[in-house]
Amino acid sequence: MMDERALFIRSVSLTDEPYGWLRDIPAIAHLMRQEINLTKPVTFFVGENGTGKSTLLEAIAVASGFNPEGGTRNFNFSTQDTHSSLSRSLRLVRNRYAKDGFFLRAESFYNVASYIDKLDAEPGFGGPLIDSYGGVSLHDQSHGESFLALVQHRFHSDGLYFLDEPEAALSPMRLLTLMAEIHSLAKDGAQFLIATHSPILMTLPNAQILQFTAAGIEEVSYRETEHFQITKQFLDSPERMLHYLLGE
């Protein structure tokens, strides 16, 4: 794995206080007090819903030049302008600039796939662009297959990649395939920032895990995450957990 000096982005901080509701998000409140240091080629943002994982990931991606709805730096479509203004308040400290990159958002990947098909259908575009994604329309594959096609064909070792809940479309077996792909790319020089709820994905060796809570952001091991602990408790004794939850 590459060392910290070779990372594309090594820290994230605020240049000024963000506006309105953003200041009430725990992750942003933490950034108002101290910067976030990225120390590994793969950094996971983990935590409960509403703690600011996806909001911060989106802002870092947009500040890095990526389309808010996902895609490469060259994608400029917009189906609905819902991203926050946080990116304008961020300061990213870089060691170098990535030659390649992609912002994968599970919730808007359909729009990315449609945009690729639209570009390929335009006369004189010069494509086909889909060849860079495996040669088969992402709409002609299952959600999970299209995710893996993107990673296996479009991601490269000199890239900066933002993934927002990539586990959403993947079976446990396909999730393990994704882990192997991320590990291989990171080993060869890629950097990943990933917001996830998957306790499987968090076990990736040599990854940095930043846990977002109501109190702020702290670096933890995967065994210390709430996701791992709750999942383990449930799988160790599902009947007992269900009895407690359902009262039966």
Side-chain angles (χ1 to χ4, degrees):
M1 288 281 185
M2 60 182 175
D3 63 28
E4 182 180 351
R5 293 169 295 179
L7 298 177
F8 298 113
I9 301 175
R10 73 169 188 264
S11 71
V12 181
S13 59
L14 288 174
T15 58
D16 52 60
E17 290 192 10
Y19 298 102
W21 61 272
L22 287 168
R23 291 178 293 185
D24 296 326
I25 298 175
I28 312 309
H30 176 98
L31 265 183
M32 291 167 65
R33 300 190 300 270
Q34 64 185 85
E35 68 179 13
I36 296 174
N37 293 307
L38 306 178
T39 61
K40 302 287 186 178
V42 180
T43 299
F44 291 118
F45 291 174
V46 308
E48 265 299 337
N49 300 126
T51 51
K53 304 181 304 300
S54 293
T55 299
L56 182 57
L57 184 76
E58 174 196 83
I60 299 172
V62 173
S64 299
F66 292 92
N67 185 53
E69 289 190 41
T72 71
R73 291 189 180 97
N74 295 323
F75 283 28
N76 57 14
F77 71 92
S78 178
T79 56
Q80 187 173 2
D81 187 6
T82 59
H83 67 286
S84 75
S85 62
L86 180 61
S87 61
R88 296 194 291 270
S89 299
L90 290 185
R91 177 175 180 263
L92 307 182
V93 175
R94 310 172 191 270
N95 289 316
R96 58 196 179 109
Y97 282 85
K99 296 179 181 179
D100 192 25
F102 202 94
F103 180 21
L104 169 63
R105 302 189 67 159
E107 64 180 354
S108 58
F109 190 63
Y110 179 94
N111 300 333
V112 171
S114 297
Y115 185 67
I116 293 171
D117 285 352
K118 176 179 178 293
L119 290 178
D120 278 345
E122 292 181 358
F125 172 67
L129 182 60
I130 195 61
D131 284 352
S132 298
Y133 297 81
V136 178
S137 172
L138 299 175
H139 281 313
D140 291 340
Q141 305 174 62
S142 72
H143 204 181
E145 288 172 333
S146 63
F147 270 33
L148 285 180
L150 168 69
V151 176
Q152 292 172 332
H153 298 286
R154 183 59 185 77
F155 286 16
H156 305 290
S157 59
D158 56 355
L160 173 63
Y161 301 105
F162 301 90
L163 311 182
D164 189 13
E165 299 184 8
E167 71 275 11
L170 300 176
S171 69
M173 184 60 70
R174 293 298 176 91
L175 189 57
L176 295 177
T177 302
L178 175 64
M179 288 176 65
E181 296 289 343
I182 292 172
H183 179 75
S184 178
L185 288 163
K187 187 176 180 180
D188 289 339
Q191 183 177 2
F192 289 83
L193 277 72
I194 305 172
T196 183
H197 291 289
S198 171
I200 294 177
L201 201 54
M202 294 173 202
T203 65
L204 185 72
N206 200 44
Q208 177 186 24
I209 301 176
L210 299 179
Q211 182 163 262
F212 291 48
T213 69
I217 303 171
E218 62 174 340
E219 187 167 347
V220 298
S221 70
Y222 77 86
R223 292 183 180 275
E224 294 176 301
T225 64
E226 294 178 357
H227 301 71
F228 176 84
Q229 293 173 5
I230 291 174
T231 301
K232 185 176 187 304
Q233 289 173 11
F234 184 86
L235 293 178
D236 283 346
S237 182
E239 295 82 6
R240 182 167 59 111
M241 289 287 286
L242 288 171
H243 175 74
Y244 174 77
L245 288 170
L246 306 180
E248 297 178 356

